[in-house]
Amino acid sequence: MTRADILVVDDTPQNLRLLSNILTKEGYLVRQALSGKMAMTAIQAVPPDLILLDIMMPEMDGYSFCQTLKAKAETAAIPVIFLSALTDGSDKAKAFAVGGADYISKPFQLEEVLARVRNQLALVAAETQNQQLSAHLEDRVKERTRQLEIANRELYREILERKMLQSQLLEQATHDALTGLPNRAFFIDRTRQALSAMQADANAQFAVLFLDCDRFKVVNDSLGHFIGDQLLVAIACRLKETLHPTVTLARLGGDEFTVLLTETADSTSVIQTANQMLAAFTQPFQLEGRAVFITASIGVAIGNVKYSQPEHLLRDADMAMYSAKASGKERYQVFDPILHQNALKRLQLEIDLRKALYQQELIVHYQPIMAIPTGDLVGFEALVRWLHPQQGLVSPGVFIPIAEETGLIAQIGHWVLRQSCQQMRQWQDETTDRSLTMSVNLSARQLAQADLVEQIDQILAETQLDPQYLKLELTESAIMDNAQAAESVLQALRKRQIQLSIDDFGTGYSSLSYLHSFPVNTLKIDRSFIQQMGEHSDDLGLVPLIINIAHKMGMTVTAEGIETQNQLNHLRALNCDFGQGFFFFKPLEADKISPLLTSIAHHAESDVKTAQ
Ligand code: C2E
Ligand code: MG
Ligand code: MG
């Protein structure tokens, strides 16, 4: 502990010495001043801890000295003990009034002086400690406040972060990452709201429009998924620009977009919206410097109180969209409850079809194919039939598309192929004419199978049918859908002497010259062209042209669906090679064919004679 520094101010040197001795002995550091002026200089040099101050001094007395001291901030706190010979009480009062801390009367009592000095120093020490403590406390409070502020800021940041994360999660849960549009969940929620609004207010209207791009797969397959994605984003943008801002536009997934109309959903506005959406596709989309053309089909479901769930509106709009596609694409279709009935029926058929294969409900009928110039039987077309236990004979036109969609066509097609190859082999054994061919329809899905050629090899090996008597029929679209794979598969089949026909020619979009790049032997002109031929030879439509070009390209031509003598006459005049149709034979059960095998030549010959 440092020694307390005491300044004694007295004009009497004797007093100074006396006090100095007493205090120094006690261990204090003592400085002396004979006048107020000297004292001031000493204080300015080093402020003491305590001042013992004489009252009666020439020039400046103790009172004014003390007043000066107390008036200055730097010295105001230094305690002053007055020293006076005066015993008058008013003196003491004045001493305290000018800021004195204590008072000692002369002559000095040693003990008293020490006691009062100690007292004052203790007070100063206590005060100093007090100040230190409160300063420390203040610092701690400041520090704590600072920490709290930091913690607060941290908390605030965290809350903000959480809020952001939350809204991000919400955004992710309700929006589509690619286009930024609302997603299915969001759309269903909005539709649910529209539905309850309608239940609350009978005048409320709303409609769901379901848009699906036509042949989007072709874009993805030919230009790649990257461009495909870009196209979806561009479509989203265009639809958004087209639609009124109050309309909810969502992306359900894939190339499917939905729109919820609530503000004005009367039939005129709904149709107007559907048309606007279709019109958004008329201009090509510019992607990576190329123009991509695409169209879309739209299904519309109009809200009504009978709907209990938003998903049902989507289902119906979806169904209407499919119907729009089926009737030619690039159009809209409003949902009709009949569609729903049909869908249910179709679903049942799909279930039944799965069983049909194992329960042997499928059979193959064979339609004879004739050489037109001679009327000779040249072969058969195998046409599958389904003997449904409840519905009777179901046409392949009905169940083949279902089988295609469900993938069941692979097994059905395989079965038909084996069945008809085996049958052909058997008939060849029964007749002397070994040149009869068996035409079998091959679906697009089958053509896409990687092991198709192996399957066919295996069937031919098992049934012992010479490949040159097998003729596979493919539609234009089956080839176009698999253009890349088709090329090599068809080459492989041709290498085995298997013949190839284009079925239903004229109903697809392909050009003859393009098809010619595939190794095809025969062109089958679709029935619709044959049936459109009029009475006169200047009214034959496209048939003469098709036959002509096909021949120039080295293909033979088969006319499908010949029903009249007149049609046959025209076709014969046009040098059409082969024909099939009800005019000759309907597709027949296998056991009806055997008896014909020998008599057919005769039948056809007499037919040729009648025609001439
Ligand atoms: P397609 O290959 O063009 O077969 C010819 C269709 O025309 C057959 O219909 C046949 O019965 C019918 N037809 C033949 N002559 C006439 C006629 O003079 N007038 C009329 N109105 N129709 C005639 P079907 O048997 O109903 O087969 C329809 C389609 O189902 C076939 O068309 C073919 O695309 C498909 N299909 C049939 N069987 C199979 C099969 O085993 N596999 C595959 N993938 N498709 C098959
Ligand atoms: Mg066919
Ligand atoms: Mg056909």
Side-chain angles (χ1 to χ4, degrees), residues 105-126:
S105 308
K106 295 176 187 175
F108 304 122
Q109 300 292 307
L110 174 70
E111 289 308 320
E112 188 194 349
V113 170
L114 288 177
R116 292 197 188 272
V117 163
R118 250 182 249 127
N119 252 352
Q120 281 311 313
L121 287 173
L123 272 175
V124 169

Side-chain angles (χ1 to χ4, degrees), residues 367 381 384-385 396 416 441 503-504 527 560-561 563 581-582 587:
Q367 184 173 37
E381 176 172 6
V384 69
R385 301 284 177 264
V416 172
N441 294 287
D503 204 354
D504 305 342
R527 193 169 75 221
E560 292 186 295
E563 291 184 353
F582 296 170

Side-chain angles (χ1 to χ4, degrees), residues 281-331:
F281 288 81
T282 41
Q283 291 298 316
F285 293 88
Q286 294 297 335
L287 302 173
E288 306 257 305
R290 74 171 91 211
V292 178
F293 284 91
I294 190 147
T295 58
S297 302
I298 298 175
V300 181
I302 309 281
N304 72 56
V305 282
K306 285 190 197 137
Y307 281 110
S308 58
Q309 283 172 40
E311 287 86 352
H312 292 171
L313 276 135
L314 267 185
R315 175 200 64 197
D316 290 352
D318 185 21
M319 226 176 268
M321 182 275 292
Y322 264 101
S323 154
K325 283 207 194 252
S327 44
K329 305 191 171 82
E330 208 180 342
R331 65 195 63 207

